[in-house]
Amino acid sequence: MPGRLSALLASGDSPVVGPETARQLADFAETPEPPLVSREQVDVMISKLAIATAQPKTSQAEARERLDLYWIALNDIPVGDLREAFAQLIRSSKFLPTPAEVRAIAAKAGAVRKYLKSRARHLAWKHQQEWRPACEYLTDLAGITPDLSADRGG
């Protein structure tokens, strides 16, 4: 998306946009949601978090059960949102976050995307409701004004 549109969506402004901008906004609003995370992606991200954070020693069976629980909790999150959460958690977590903590951070990334799409839909709708093409202004009035000199007896 062009920087100008990104800035418009991030701003609080609600201008009536022109046809080209409205089309771009509508196209952005209609882009499909990102794909959901896969089991393998969840396993890799959580395994790396477990390595990077302090936690008690667990058996292989406990580790597999833990990954199963994370999968159950995180399988409905778009992969990009989970990656963003993972990047934030890997930089800030001292201990392995709970599935609820991972979900909360991933939800913030998703909320921003959903908000921007909602703004795009609103601005495209506003264009449909309020935009009017520019009208042509008359600059030469000689051909449309009546000749008043005949009425004055001149």
Side-chain angles (χ1 to χ4, degrees):
M1 177 175 16
R4 186 176 64 86
L5 286 182
S6 294
L8 174 62
L9 292 176
S11 77
D13 296 340
S14 248
V16 177
V17 296
E20 180 58 25
T21 301
R23 185 195 57 75
Q24 291 173 345
L25 289 167
D27 288 349
F28 169 70
E30 295 307 315
T31 56
E33 285 295 305
L36 298 180
V37 70
S38 71
R39 173 67 192 247
E40 181 182 350
Q41 290 166 323
V42 169
D43 287 355
V44 167
M45 286 184 220
I46 299 305
S47 296
K48 286 182 178 183
L49 271 172
I51 292 168
T53 57
Q55 61 175 334
K57 296 281 184 193
T58 59
S59 69
Q60 287 286 6
E62 289 172 321
R64 175 59 31 209
E65 280 299 314
R66 179 176 288 166
L67 288 175
D68 288 344
L69 291 173
Y70 276 91
W71 169 245
I72 290 168
L74 305 175
N75 67 26
D76 62 339
I77 297 175
V79 66
D81 298 350
L82 195 59
R83 280 190 184 126
E84 194 168 319
F86 171 76
Q88 183 177 341
L89 288 165
I90 203 82
R91 289 188 298 266
S92 64
S93 296
K94 294 178 183 175
F95 300 97
L96 186 65
T98 66
E101 292 169 327
V102 176
R103 282 188 72 81
I105 293 171
K108 289 178 186 175
V112 169
R113 183 186 65 259
K114 289 173 185 173
Y115 169 76
L116 293 176
K117 283 182 147 191
S118 174
R119 285 264 305 143
R121 274 190 292 279
H122 168 73
L123 292 172
W125 171 84
K126 189 171 182 179
H127 164 80
Q128 290 177 339
Q129 299 300 312
E130 299 179 17
W131 185 81
R132 302 291 175 260
C135 58
E136 199 175 299
Y137 292 100
L138 297 175
T139 56
D140 181 16
L141 300 178
I144 62 167
T145 56
D147 183 10
L148 300 177
S149 61
D151 290 341
R152 290 190 216 150

